[in-house]
Structure formats: C-alpha cells, structure tokens
Amino acid sequence: MLRRLITGAALLAAVLTTTPASAADTPLRDLAEARGVYLGSAVTAGRLTGGYADVAGAQFGSLTPGNEMKWDAVEPARGAYDWTGADRVVAFAEAHGQRVRGHTLVWHSQLPGWLTSGSWTAAQLRTLMTDHVTAEAGRYKGRIDHWDVVNEPLAEDGTLRPSLWGAALGESYIADAFRAARAADPAAKLYLNDYSTDAVGAKSDGMYALVTRLLAQGVPVDGVGFQAHLVLGQVPASLETNLRRFADLGVDVAITELDIRTALPATEAKLAQQKADYASVLRACLAVTRCAGVTVWGFTDADSWIPDFFPGQGAATPYDENLRPKPAYAGIAETLAPANPPTPGVCSVTYAVTSQWTGGFTAQVTLRNTGTAPLNGWTVRWTQPAGRRVTQAWNATVTQTTAEVTATHLSYNATIPPAGSTAFGLNGTWSGTNPPPTTLTCTPGQ
C-alpha cells in the first residue's frame, strides 16, 4: 500500500520497551503452518533490528517488503538499480526460514519521476515495463514465493484504472507483465492484487471478470490477492463467499494487506471488536481450501501507514507501538489453534522382572505416553507383595514406605513425547515368592 515513516527515536522507544509474549506461546507462524496456511507481515527493511526484528522473525512465516521493491525504490534512475532495501528483507527472511511475498512489480503509484514525466510512445512504455519486470523478478529468481505482479489495476466501479499503464496500453499491459514475470522467475506464484475487492460487489465483480479473461488467454495468473484494509466492525459478510468464487476459477487466493483501523483512542471495547474482526478474516481464509495465507500490513502500530492517511484513526495492527501483543494477536492465535486440540499426555506402565536369584531380583518399569501431547513429568506407584523391598534404583527416584512404592522422574526423562516411552530399573530383595505387583498406577505431572 502506501508509505509510513516514523522517527528513529519513536522506533528506539518501541524497541526498548518491548514486552515479549510468553516463551511458552506457540508462534503464530507455527500455528498457521499447522493449519496449512502462512501468516505473514509487511516489514520495513531499516527497522529489522532489535525487538522489531525479534518479533518479525519469530512470529511470521512470510515477509512482504512494504516499500523496498516498488519501482521508485529499486529503479530511481532509468536502468540504474538500487537493491539495498529489497536485498535486506530477502536476506532476513531467508535467515529466518521465511517466505517472501514480492510487492510489487507494476503499480500506478510510487513511480520514479523519470518514468512519469517522460514522453513515451505506447511501445516504449510497454518495453520499459517489461524490462523492469524482467530485471526485478530475475534478480530474485527462485527466492520469491509470491509476486504481486500487478497491483491495483481497477477503478472503484470494476473497470480498468486509467493509470499511466491502463491509459496508454489498455488491459493488455497486465498480460504482458505476467508473461514477463513468468519468464523471469518460473517458480514464483504470480498474483493480481487490489483493494476494496474483499466483498462481493462492483469492484470484485470487475476483478472476477478480469481474471476470467486473463485465464482464457492463457495468461499465467496463479492467484488473486485481497488487500483487506478494513474498518472496525465492517468485515464483509461475503468475504468467504467471495474468496471461494475466485478459488473456483482455479487460482489461489490470499489476504495480502490486512489491517483494521479504528477511530482513536482505541478503547477496550474497540480492541475487543478488533480481535473479533481479525478472527473473522482468518476464519474466512481457513474455510477456503485454496486460500494460501494471510498477511498483515505491518504488525505494529509504530509501523502502520494508517495515521498518515486517515487522520484521527489508527491502532490497526496486532501489536501496539511498544511491540506488545494486543487482543487482535490473541484473536489470530485462537483462530489458528488446532481444530482438534491434542489430548493431554496419558501414561501407561508395565513391570517386568528381568533377573532373579536367591533372595534378590532386578526389575524394569516402562512408561509409555498414549496421548497426543507431551507428557511433562510422571509418578508411578505400586504395592509390593509381602516380603519384597527395593534396595537400589536407577533412572528414577524410588522410595518405599512399608509396602507402598513411589517412583518419580528425573530431570532428563521427565518429558515423554506422544507415542514415546522411558524406563527405569530397580534391584530388590524377596522371600517366599516374587510375583509382579498386581496394580501399578502412572500419574502425569510433576
């Protein structure tokens, strides 16, 4: 979308006052991956340090350069490229095992002056566009998961936007841009991306018709992006239906620039509504098989474009300006939580005499986790038959009081993964007979 600039001092304050989420929390990126989607965020290259970088790297499985891949950033002078910012985002993502959503190859905004002020024939303009697409997509060949090849091609009524590109080249520029991107990077998923297409309506109908025409022409459109710059309490009721009808064309869909703005100040009630709204958008994506994922347009209010373009509004992202998770974060996490939560760790136990001699014996006790979540700590209890006493044990702390025996884990075998097992052994004395205990109990926990 559009630029957002904050002062270095404001960012430094945000980093220094960061309160990280509990280390026990499952990162959002892992929750999303387990549900078969990605959760991404737009980022600013110059801020990928300190607490900002920590959150970006830990919580998101995909990164979008907010401005660093736009035309004015990478080709400020004709044929002269500056890849500094874009390279930094891509390198950061690769170092953190993240995808990259390239944004954007062809757009009507944030174009360099040399391009917008030039007097070009249609043929020259088309060549400039395809050369730019080839250069940028080619530089990152094999390193970009999704490209927003053409961004915001439509007017509000669903017709072609009369931009520099649309006015001079007509709709054909879209097909040319996609074909150039496919040739430059055959592995990347290629998307059309636009705003105000989230609900079924005139603009989304225009996008639907455009995608239908492009596919009929053999244009390599792999997906459609829905920006979802939303207003508090106004998540479209038809969002899921709209995503589904595009997916039924045989393309992927994605929420690409999600934020949900509100009038300031952000009260507790507003943040609760925002939590519900974020959850609603996530549910719509999860309900559509071909929804690839959801990207938030900046994860912190300190890096949001909203206040600069909607005076008096803001608080649109899942984290506040001090990088503290807001209720919206919980709304995302709760929605992405496993549909079928794992059952708690459950242990079963068996006891076997492995060696016996006059007056003495060795036994092994084996525990198994029969649940689908890790077993964190365990205690085994049993009643010794008459005439038996434990004299030595290993791999557990074992105590005996009269006939009652208690065995507890040690630090290194306290955790048993699902379907996993551990064992401990003991030596003991016996007289008369040496049958195994008739009842053994295994209790999970510390």
Side-chain angles (χ1 to χ4, degrees):
M1 195 63 184
L2 299 171
R3 292 186 187 276
R4 165 67 169 157
L5 299 176
I6 63 173
T7 66
L11 178 63
L12 180 60
V15 170
L16 291 177
T17 57
T18 299
T19 301
S22 167
D25 292 343
T26 302
L28 296 179
R29 61 186 288 178
D30 294 345
L31 292 173
E33 183 178 351
R35 297 298 297 273
V37 298
Y38 64 81
L39 184 74
S41 178
V43 294
T44 299
R47 300 181 181 123
L48 285 172
T49 60
Y52 182 96
D54 292 341
V55 175
Q59 293 293 335
F60 300 98
S62 173
L63 297 184
T64 302
N67 290 294
E68 291 80 1
M69 286 184 170
K70 291 172 182 173
W71 199 318
D72 63 347
V74 300
E75 195 180 1
R78 184 178 180 182
Y81 295 94
D82 181 356
W83 306 109
T84 305
D87 281 355
R88 183 170 183 181
V89 175
V90 173
F92 181 93
E94 290 175 340
H96 290 80
Q98 297 165 302
R99 312 180 192 206
V100 178
R101 185 175 189 92
H103 180 82
T104 174
L105 293 172
V106 181
W107 189 26
H108 67 271
S109 187
Q110 291 183 228
L111 297 172
W114 68 264
L115 179 61
T116 57
S117 62
S119 298
W120 315 105
T121 66
Q124 289 172 328
L125 193 61
R126 194 181 303 273
T127 297
L128 288 171
M129 181 195 71
T130 54
D131 284 352
H132 176 83
V133 171
T134 299
E136 186 164 10
R139 176 176 180 82
Y140 297 105
K141 179 179 180 180
R143 303 170 73 188
I144 303 295
D145 193 65
H146 303 83
W147 268 114
D148 288 331
V149 177
V150 175
N151 192 44
E152 301 175 5
L154 300 181
E156 291 301 308
D157 63 358
T159 61
L160 186 68
R161 180 190 291 272
S163 64
L164 172 70
W165 312 109
L169 304 177
E171 189 176 293
S172 66
Y173 88 88
I174 300 172
D176 288 344
F178 271 82
R179 290 185 173 117
R182 174 65 87 231
D185 188 356
K189 291 279 191 176
L190 308 182
Y191 274 66
L192 269 174
N193 191 53
D194 215 324
Y195 66 91
S196 295
T197 56
D198 316 299
V200 175
K203 191 169 184 179
S204 64
D205 287 347
M207 179 65 82
Y208 185 89
L210 172 60
V211 174
T212 301
R213 291 193 299 274
L214 292 171
L215 293 174
Q217 298 165 28
V219 178
V221 178
D222 299 313
V224 179
F226 302 81
Q227 291 184 11
H229 294 293
L230 303 176
V231 177
L232 188 73
Q234 297 182 27
V235 176
S238 59
L239 176 59
E240 179 186 330
T241 298
N242 196 38
L243 295 177
R244 194 179 304 281
R245 69 166 174 160
F246 279 87
D248 287 344
L249 290 174
V251 297
D252 292 341
V253 295
I255 304 296
T256 56
E257 302 184 20
L258 176 63
D259 49 31
I260 302 176
R261 65 185 183 270
T262 183
L264 299 174
T267 63
E268 184 177 339
K270 291 176 182 177
L271 293 177
Q273 178 63 57
Q274 187 183 64
K275 173 184 177 181
D277 289 347
Y278 267 93
S280 181
V281 174
L282 266 292
R283 283 196 299 271
C285 176
L286 292 173
V288 178
T289 302
R290 294 198 68 152
C291 186
V294 174
T295 296
V296 295
W297 201 246
F299 59 86
T300 167
D301 293 340
D303 197 27
S304 173
W305 67 287
I306 295 295
D308 286 345
F309 292 89
F310 296 93
Q313 299 186 56
T317 76
Y319 286 77
D320 70 13
E321 292 190 352
N322 293 321
L323 300 179
R324 290 187 294 251
K326 292 156 57 179
Y329 172 97
I332 295 171
E334 291 166 9
T335 306
L336 291 174
N340 297 307
T343 59
V346 179
C347 57
S348 65
V349 59
T350 58
Y351 179 108
V353 174
T354 58
S355 178
Q356 182 173 302
W357 58 95
T358 302
F361 70 95
T362 299
Q364 178 171 295
V365 181
T366 302
L367 293 82
R368 290 182 173 82
N369 182 355
T370 58
T372 56
L375 184 68
N376 295 311
W378 47 266
T379 299
V380 176
R381 295 181 175 87
W382 69 90
T383 301
Q384 291 279 46
R388 291 193 355 185
R389 189 158 193 88
V390 176
T391 58
Q392 182 185 16
W394 50 94
N395 296 334
T397 299
V398 179
T399 59
Q400 181 174 347
T401 303
T402 62
E404 303 305 316
V405 180
T406 301
T408 57
H409 63 265
L410 300 179
S411 60
Y412 58 82
N413 62 2
T415 301
I416 307 176
S421 64
T422 192
F424 65 90
L426 59 91
N427 288 333
T429 59
W430 65 281
S431 61
T433 61
N434 189 25
T438 56
T439 302
L440 291 95
T441 61
C442 179
T443 305
Q446 302 300 317

